[in-house]
Amino acid sequence: MRAAPRPDLAALWRRVEELSERRGQDPAQILATRRLSHLSGVEPARIPSVVAGTAAEEPLEQRVHRRFLRLRSTRRDKHGREWSLAAIAADFDAPGASLGPLNAGTGLPRLGHAAGVQRFFGVHAGFLLADSKSAVERALALTSDGPGDLEHLSHLTGMTTQAIRLTLDGRPPRLPLKEQVHQRFEHLRRTRLREDGQPHSLSAIAKSFDASGQSLTRLAQGEGLPNLAAAAGIQRFYGVEGGFLLADDTEALATALAAVERELEPAGQQQENPMLAVMRAHDVRNIVARAGRLSPRGWKSLADHLDDLLAREGQLGRPGAAGADRDSGEPAAGGHTAGRGAV
């Protein structure tokens, strides 16, 4: 059977408002459209109509193009300049010209290139693909911020229970993208069945996005990747989020666990200090101990690398002063951020 319908955005918006007030936070700041836009990639002017359910969905090619331009304009390098197409593409061993059609809005990138762009900028694996409703829904869920059983997590992520165990132990499997997408697609077909208990046919899936069943044959056989439009259509057909096929195991599991945690957490319960949670999750003491063995030149290299990572994720040079954050509508350093796996 298909996934449950996504929640009503207006109701989710109201819950975030109420939760913010109970925690003594300003809902207007928490729900600032520029902040939600930064998290979701949806244009600020479109967010009210998306929440109200009155926004017409943009064609996929236009949506992916506009999200890419927003990434380049809002997540700049440490000098405040937009990342060049060559620098972005070099990160996944492709020529800068391969991103030309995406940058110009004249074509969709290959699936592997889309995954590379999202990894480069540290955004979630559905950032370019997600329709406006699911993108805003994800941003609102992040704003409102214990493993469940492995079978449930497997259903949510498309990962095998063994892969989940390895990932929880800090040893996530490293599958080639083609094999990962094939496995996730087969997982969807096996676990989201028709009313009669049979898998949906390739032709029925493809028909939902105006393609032929033949276009999915190579994917079903594990011999090739779908194009970006087909990947978006598959995820929409099964009602899963826009990064389901692309997310690496660590991100997929983190997303599922966050959803389970939100289900289990009593309304209004105080969250752990997010900085402490990050420090514990990434074993900061161990990192500092290892960094202490660096030479002065090594420290300089590490600082430069951190600046590059912060710039990619839109965090470099964002002051923690309350006035600056109120003006920008975005969270202060140490608050909700748009870093890897968090958007």
Side-chain angles (χ1 to χ4, degrees):
M1 59 187 298
R2 297 193 189 183
R6 295 196 297 268
D8 177 69
L9 289 187
L12 181 54
W13 183 285
R14 289 192 295 273
R15 288 200 297 274
V16 173
E17 281 184 322
E18 293 169 1
L19 189 56
S20 301
E21 290 173 349
R22 284 202 296 269
R23 293 179 179 172
Q25 297 171 293
D26 180 6
Q29 187 174 354
I30 297 296
L31 292 167
T33 54
R34 285 184 61 187
R35 181 185 187 204
L36 294 176
S37 174
H38 188 81
L39 290 170
S40 67
V42 177
E43 294 291 321
R46 281 176 53 83
I47 286 179
S49 57
V50 171
V51 172
T54 58
E57 191 54 59
E58 297 173 296
L60 181 66
E61 186 172 301
Q62 181 181 344
R63 182 169 78 233
V64 172
H65 165 62
R66 288 163 68 95
R67 300 266 174 91
F68 179 64
L69 294 186
R70 285 198 66 76
L71 283 175
R72 293 189 70 202
S73 66
T74 60
R75 290 147 169 96
R76 297 171 178 259
D77 68 18
K78 60 187 176 185
H79 304 294
R81 297 189 292 260
E82 286 191 353
W83 292 94
S84 68
L85 300 184
I88 299 168
D91 197 59
F92 48 91
D93 300 321
S98 65
L99 295 180
L102 170 62
N103 192 62
T106 57
L108 288 169
R110 293 166 55 186
L111 193 66
H113 290 183
V117 167
Q118 292 168 155
R119 280 196 307 272
F120 179 87
F121 284 108
V123 295
H124 73 91
F127 189 93
L128 293 175
L129 279 180
D131 60 56
S132 295
K133 181 175 181 181
S134 59
V136 173
E137 176 192 328
R138 183 184 178 103
L140 286 171
L142 285 170
T143 300
S144 65
D145 286 9
D149 67 88
L150 295 186
E151 291 297 335
H152 181 50
L153 291 177
S154 177
H155 182 83
L156 292 174
T157 61
M159 298 163 58
T160 65
T161 55
Q162 174 64 10
I164 291 173
R165 288 192 186 95
L166 290 171
T167 303
L168 290 172
D169 288 340
R171 298 177 289 122
R174 297 297 182 191
L175 293 178
L177 183 64
K178 181 169 69 174
E179 185 178 344
Q180 174 189 298
V181 172
H182 168 64
Q183 287 189 9
R184 300 272 173 89
F185 178 60
E186 288 304 303
H187 173 84
L188 287 173
R189 296 191 69 204
R190 188 173 60 253
T191 61
R192 277 83 165 169
L193 303 173
R194 299 185 318 205
E195 295 292 336
D196 61 3
Q198 296 300 309
H200 291 278
S201 67
L202 298 182
S203 59
I205 299 168
K207 185 178 179 182
S208 71
F209 50 90
D210 300 321
S212 68
Q214 234 176 357
S215 66
L216 298 181
T217 301
R218 294 188 69 231
L219 170 61
Q221 294 172 345
E223 297 175 355
L225 286 168
N227 61 38
L228 207 61
I234 290 167
Q235 292 166 155
R236 191 166 55 247
F237 178 84
Y238 282 108
V240 294
E241 67 165 22
F244 188 92
L245 294 175
L246 283 180
D248 62 34
D249 284 351
T250 300
E251 181 183 347
L253 187 54
T255 300
L257 287 171
V260 171
E261 183 181 26
R262 284 194 297 273
E263 291 172 4
L264 297 177
E265 184 182 58
Q269 178 177 312
Q270 290 297 317
Q271 299 280 342
E272 178 183 31
N273 182 305
M275 184 60 72
L276 293 178
V278 169
M279 290 176 70
R280 177 159 45 255
H282 296 282
D283 194 4
V284 170
R285 286 177 298 181
N286 185 37
I287 293 171
V288 171
R290 289 155 57 201
R293 299 196 295 268
L294 290 172
S295 66
R297 183 176 179 182
W299 273 106
K300 175 68 166 58
S301 177
L302 177 61
D304 287 345
H305 184 60
L306 285 172
D307 279 349
D308 282 339
L309 289 175
L310 287 167
R312 288 187 193 184
E313 299 183 4
Q315 307 303 316
L316 189 66
R318 290 172 63 191
D325 291 327
R326 279 194 296 270
D327 291 341
S328 69
E330 295 178 5
H336 298 275
T337 64
R340 187 177 304 280
V343 178

